[in-house]
Amino acid sequence: MGTEIGRVRGLGSAGHGAQHWWHQKLTAGTNFLLIVWLLASIATLPSYDHGTVRLWLHSAWAAIPMALLIASVFYHFRLGLQVVIEDYSHKESRFVLTVLVNVFTLATAGTAIFSILKVAFGATA
Amino acid sequence: MASKPARPRSPHLFSGPMQLHYRWSPAMTASIVHRATGDGMATIGTLLLVWWLAAIAAGPAAYGVFLDVFTTSTGSLNLLGWIVGVGLTWSVFQHMMSGIRHLVMDTGAAFELKVNQRLALLTFVASTLLTIAFWLFLGNK
């Protein structure tokens, strides 16, 4: 009997702890590959004016890894910021900050992906 | 209970005028810098990356605003450009080297005192050298 939260309380962990750690490690690996690609791409761009940079991002060879980078890096930092909040913040502020981190991550990721797709599917010139 | 002898105190990093109860080790520095660089990139780095991508998508005028904040009229980096540019690239390399250290230690290796300290110090040497190499490459293009 009782409410669901009443039955769950005191029964220990939900059993999902390892998933957070493992996803942080998986995205650390994919981040490494994608960030090395981004640094190498930026370093080898002939110039940094709008036309050059836009033409670079227009190519699928740049747009696809950049979209994957957003997914991998943003998921990784969302997991990381959650740990920081859980370490330093307690009670109500922990809940509020965790929600804000999710909102921040989704809003920035959404803007980034939209921008990449707009350039990738836009006209060449 | 004034007659009781002084109990061992729980260790604190700071007591009185910034006194350390623990001897500071490279591993502690690597740990907190990993968190600081991660937080910095997750907030400032994310906003700058998204601004850059949105400016590319929005067009030459919006991209010009982005460039103007970090460059002088001659096209070279201004003070803010240098601080943000070098700060972010060092953060990327430091977090990357420190992350590789974490992956090594996840296997159960490098917990011996000497090796652990050397590996922690090595992350700073490597990230600083990589940052210098990256900017020398950009400068000599």
Side-chain angles (χ1 to χ4, degrees):
Chain A
M1 289 300 286
T3 60
E4 288 199 11
I5 189 73
R7 272 183 274 125
V8 161
R9 243 172 218 155
L11 292 182
S13 79
H16 296 299
Q19 190 193 35
H20 184 286
W21 181 88
W22 177 235
H23 283 187
Q24 189 104 59
K25 298 298 162 181
L26 281 177
T27 49
T30 48
N31 282 357
F32 177 81
L33 298 172
L34 291 162
I35 289 288
V36 167
W37 162 79
L38 180 63
L39 289 173
S41 299
I42 290 174
T44 51
L45 273 176
S47 70
Y48 301 100
D49 58 282
H50 181 256
T52 309
V53 175
R54 195 190 170 283
L55 196 65
W56 165 73
L57 192 59
H58 180 70
S59 160
W61 292 102
I64 292 171
M66 185 62 92
L68 293 174
L69 183 145
I70 297 294
S72 175
V73 169
F74 283 39
Y75 183 50
H76 183 85
F77 85 57
R78 183 238 165 272
L79 293 173
L81 287 178
Q82 183 193 332
V83 175
V84 176
I85 290 167
E86 287 168 354
D87 277 357
Y88 302 129
S89 178
H90 309 283
K91 296 187 179 168
E92 290 87 353
S93 65
R94 169 186 287 196
F95 173 79
V96 172
L97 286 172
T98 308
V99 170
L100 284 177
V101 160
N102 285 334
V103 171
F104 174 77
T105 308
L106 288 171
T108 49
T111 310
I113 299 282
F114 172 82
S115 302
I116 295 164
L117 294 181
K118 191 185 171 203
V119 172
F121 294 136
T124 312
Chain B
M1 309 289 263
S3 58
K4 276 196 172 180
R7 305 284 298 168
R9 297 174 58 188
S10 69
H12 282 82
L13 286 181
F14 304 112
S15 163
M18 302 290 278
Q19 189 196 355
L20 294 167
H21 285 209
Y22 280 130
R23 198 152 45 118
W24 194 260
S25 76
M28 296 180 196
T29 313
S31 174
I32 195 62
V33 170
H34 190 74
R35 179 160 277 192
T37 50
D39 286 354
M41 289 188 293
T43 51
I44 299 168
T46 293
L47 291 174
L48 287 177
L49 177 64
V50 173
W51 182 17
W52 182 61
L53 290 170
I56 297 169
Y63 193 78
V65 173
F66 178 87
L67 283 186
D68 279 347
V69 173
F70 301 107
T71 56
T72 64
S73 52
T74 61
S76 56
L77 286 176
N78 61 21
L79 183 64
L80 185 66
W82 275 111
I83 293 171
V84 171
V86 173
L88 275 180
T89 44
W90 186 80
S91 293
V92 166
F93 286 127
Q94 176 57 34
H95 200 82
M96 187 185 279
M97 295 303 114
S98 185
I100 291 168
R101 173 174 169 270
H102 270 283
L103 294 177
V104 170
M105 291 173 68
D106 284 342
T107 70
F111 279 91
E112 301 81 7
L113 194 59
K114 280 260 167 64
V115 179
N116 189 280
Q117 290 186 350
R118 269 195 208 132
L119 198 60
L121 282 174
L122 195 63
T123 64
F124 293 99
V125 176
S127 66
T128 305
L129 288 177
L130 283 166
T131 307
I132 293 169
F134 183 81
W135 286 93
L136 280 179
F137 181 86
L138 282 187
N140 289 324
K141 260 205 313 185

